[in-house]
Every structure is written in structure tokens, then in C-alpha cells.
Amino acid sequence: MFSEIKNRFATDDVEVKRKGLYKVVVKHERLFALIVMLKEMYDYKTLNTITCTDWIEEGHFALTYIMTTLKRNETFMLQTMILREEAHTKSLSYLFKQAQIMERDLHEMYGIKFEGNENLKELSLENWVHTPPLRREFDTLEFVNNHLTFRDGRDDNIDTKAESKRLRAIKKAEKEAAKKAKESKKAEDVQ
Amino acid sequence: METGFLQEQKVLEGDLNSENSHQNSVDFLMNWFRKQSIFVLAYGTGCGAIEMPPTFTSRYDAERLGIRGAATPRQADVIIVSGYCSYKTLRRIIRTYEQMSNPKYLLALGSCTVNGGMYWDSYNTIKKLEDYLPVDMYVNGCMPRPESILEGFIALQKEIGEGKASSWQKYEENYEFYRKNQEAVLGKKVEPSYEADWYLYEGGL
């Protein structure tokens, strides 16, 4: 299987992670042929999940398709890179029905367009007009500071670190004063 | 101590020197009835909803205090916002709260409703519930145990009995303020749509 993948899909990036867990990195245009081949010839009938990793420095998204065969209990991870600006790929929903909702989720969270997916409406967000929230250029804290109000702290709220430092200094001073008084008393007694 | 009809007579006449003198006797009686039978809407948001079943069932048995569940918002007196509150949930909570009939009370559980809790930097969770809906009683903790919930209920009962819990009036009086805050996070259309697009889109499942 591996030699066939290497020859047909022109990739050296086939990795055996452990027994029954393989990973391959392929070019985007060859991905779907590979998926069809794995499904039809090697019994990878289950698409477990589609995940996306945002490599903002390199300027691309890494899409990972995880497929399983129950016949031999093997898992295949197929990784491909797509450009970040375009964020455009083909849908897998004609091969696997479950891909429809996975792609809908990725479209919502990363803004990736899946050509051929019939419903890419928002899944868990509602009326979201800002940057897709899981893209790394989306600054969550800045968004929260701009859009939401925080509760002010209590009036008697104190910086615990500074306060404990101050209390410790007072205690130390008291201790030293007591020590000095004791010593002076001793000296008086001796005299 | 007077008991029986003597007590009732005293209540009906009203004691103008007591601390409840701002209430007339009818108000006092109404509040007394209200506080003895609190119907809580069977509705939970966030993780705090998991503390409600033991509160209302035999282990902690809130019914001995007159607190029990109600099936629909029209029949309920109290709504519990139990935990973090995302924009999407907030829409539903507002719709549910506005459907409830007066007098209605809102009990907020958990630190998420107080100041965002562990979701303080989440883009999709509101931080202060009282900006969007009037809150009668906060129960803090993450999560509050059923004991704390009961304590919150007892405090709420006390406020109801004294006639101080009047958040629904506050909501009506300051509706512009609440609506403005709601629109700031939810957009112009605050009410949720009834469209069930999860499973009923064109050419769906």
C-alpha cells in the first residue's frame, strides 16, 4: 500500500506512527484521489474527523482527514496544505455524508469554503460578522475588551502580594523591637 | 405569642411600626403566599444545571421549602441562569424571561454570571448578566453546591417576603437600558428564530 501511494501520489511523506496508525502528507490536488483510493481499494470506509491547523507564519492551513478501517483496525491521517488567503477546497460530502457537518464547522470557525457543500450556514454561532474566531489573527482578548464590559473590582480589593509584603515587614519590625527591648532589659538587669 | 386567628388578625390590621411598614397588609399576605410556593422553570444553561436535579429531588429536597419545578415559562415564578451564558443562550433566556408572567424572579448561579468566571476572555460569553437581565440573587461558586443553591433560594424567599425582590418592575422601568445592552451584543434582532435549520435545511439529512 505504501509503495503504491508513494509512486502514484508522488510523496515521500508516508510515516508509520505506530502499528496501525499511518500519516501521509500529500499535495492538495492529489488528496481526493487518494481518499477515493483508500476508501474503495483499502476499505477505509469511515471518515472520523476533519481538523484544521492554522499555520499563520507559513501562510497556510493544514487540513487533516482521519480515516479508519474496522476490518484491520487501522487509522490513516491524510494531511494537506491549502493557502490561507484563498481558503478554498472541495467538499467531501458526496463521498462521506458526515463530512457535511464537519465542513460546516470548519467553514464557521476558519472561513474555509468547501465547494460542493450544499449547506455552510452557521452551526453554533449566530449572526457572526467578525473574523472567524479560530483563525489566529482573531485576537480574542482585544475583541472582548472592545465588545464586552467587565465588572469592576471590589472597593476593598487589595493587591495581595503587596499587602502580604507590607504585613511581613510590620511583623519583622515588631519582632526586632521586642528583641531589642529584651536585650536592653537584660543589660539593665546585669547592671 | 399569638397564634391562629390572632396572628391573622394582626397581619390583616397591619403593624405600621414594624420594619415592613412600607407594605400594607394585602401586600404582606401576597408576598407571604408567593414566598411559600416558588415554581422554578425547568431550564438550565451551562454546567450549573447539573446541580439542580439533586436540589429538587430527594437528596436535598427543595420541596420542603415550597420550591418545585414548573414545566413552562408561563407557569414559572423563578428562572435559574445556571452558569455561563453565550450569546446564543442569552437570546433564548431573554425570550423565556419575557414569556414568564409577573411576578418573576431571576436567580443567577456560578461565577460565570457574576464576572465571566473562567470564560472571562471568551469571545462568545457575556460577562455581567445584570447588564442584560435584572438579577434578584447571585449565588457564587464554581459550581455552587445544592446547599448553596438552597441558601440562595432562602435568601430570595426572604427578599420576596419583605417585598424587596422586584426585579421584574426594574426590567419594565429600565427596558431601554437593557434593550440597548442586549442589542450591543446580539444585534438588532434580539429574539431567536424558531427555524430548526439543524436538521431541516433544503435537501437535508
Side-chain angles (χ1 to χ4, degrees), chain A residues 97 100-101 104 109 118-119 121-128 133-134 138 140-141 143-144 147-152, chain B residues 87-88 91-92 113-115 120-128 130-132 138 185-186 195 197-198 201-203:
Chain A
K97 255 193 174 175
Q100 198 277 326
I101 207 149
R104 192 172 162 191
M109 288 299 171
E118 55 193 24
N119 183 13
K121 273 193 226 162
E122 284 171 321
L123 185 62
S124 49
L125 299 172
E126 266 184 354
N127 307 343
W128 187 259
L134 283 190
F138 178 76
T140 317
L141 198 57
F143 180 86
V144 170
H147 286 81
L148 294 159
T149 49
F150 283 104
R151 184 183 298 279
D152 304 325
Chain B
Y87 297 167
K88 201 172 181 177
R91 271 179 219 278
R92 275 76 186 169
T113 49
V114 179
N115 59 3
W120 64 277
D121 65 346
S122 163
Y123 59 87
N124 206 17
T125 313
I126 56 156
K127 312 301 168 212
K128 273 161 76 181
E130 79 221 36
D131 278 357
Y132 310 96
Y138 276 117
V185 294
L186 301 177
E195 184 191 348
D197 75 319
W198 244 93
Y201 58 88
E202 301 110 46

Side-chain angles (χ1 to χ4, degrees), chain A residues 19-169:
Chain A
K19 194 180 166 241
L21 181 65
Y22 317 120
K23 186 190 169 186
V24 59
V25 182
V26 286
K27 280 186 181 168
H28 179 229
E29 58 266 26
R30 296 172 201 229
L31 172 80
F32 298 97
L34 179 54
I35 288 175
V36 170
M37 191 189 91
L38 284 177
K39 190 187 176 191
E40 299 301 329
M41 290 167 66
Y42 295 100
D43 293 314
Y44 284 87
K45 299 282 186 202
T46 315
L47 177 71
N48 289 359
T49 183
I50 309 172
T51 62
C52 179
T53 318
D54 190 353
W55 296 98
I56 193 167
E57 292 85 3
E58 283 86 359
H60 58 236
F61 287 124
L63 285 178
T64 311
Y65 295 75
I66 300 178
M67 297 166 78
T68 304
T69 168
L70 285 175
K71 255 189 187 170
R72 302 187 300 279
N73 196 15
E74 286 172 354
T75 304
F76 223 107
M77 297 156 68
L78 305 131
Q79 203 170 65
T80 186
M81 309 294 179
I82 56 171
L83 280 178
R84 242 175 142 272
E85 297 105 59
E86 293 171 9
H88 186 273
T89 181
K90 274 184 212 158
S91 173
L92 259 190
S93 52
Y94 63 94
L95 276 176
F96 300 97
K97 255 193 174 175
Q98 66 267 39
Q100 198 277 326
I101 207 149
M102 298 169 186
E103 287 165 359
R104 192 172 162 191
D105 185 36
L106 289 183
H107 175 259
E108 176 181 49
M109 288 299 171
Y110 292 94
I112 302 170
K113 285 173 208 78
F114 288 90
E115 194 185 323
N117 194 322
E118 55 193 24
N119 183 13
L120 286 177
K121 273 193 226 162
E122 284 171 321
L123 185 62
S124 49
L125 299 172
E126 266 184 354
N127 307 343
W128 187 259
V129 288
H130 312 281
T131 324
L134 283 190
R135 278 186 174 235
R136 270 172 67 200
E137 76 243 27
F138 178 76
D139 191 342
T140 317
L141 198 57
E142 195 193 318
F143 180 86
V144 170
N145 285 332
N146 290 341
H147 286 81
L148 294 159
T149 49
F150 283 104
R151 184 183 298 279
D152 304 325
R154 284 203 315 261
D155 295 335
D156 59 341
N157 184 21
I158 37 179
D159 185 3
T160 46
K161 251 184 189 171
E163 183 67 10
S164 64
K165 208 174 177 182
R166 193 179 66 85
L167 287 177
R168 244 181 286 145

Side-chain angles (χ1 to χ4, degrees), chain B residues 57-74:
Chain B
T57 47
S58 57
R59 180 74 172 88
Y60 290 94
D61 197 17
E63 203 167 335
R64 70 202 144 96
L65 303 169
I67 300 158
R68 55 169 300 181
T72 73
R74 313 262 186 217

Side-chain angles (χ1 to χ4, degrees), chain A residues 124-126, chain B residues 43-47 79-97 124-126 129 132-133 186 190-192:
Chain A
S124 49
L125 299 172
E126 266 184 354
Chain B
Y43 176 75
T45 76
C47 33
I79 179 171
I80 300 183
V81 179
S82 53
Y84 71 88
C85 189
S86 68
Y87 297 167
K88 201 172 181 177
T89 323
L90 184 63
R91 271 179 219 278
R92 275 76 186 169
I93 294 172
I94 290 167
R95 158 76 47 101
T96 316
Y97 182 78
N124 206 17
T125 313
I126 56 156
L129 184 62
Y132 310 96
L133 285 170
L186 301 177
V190 170
E191 286 75 26

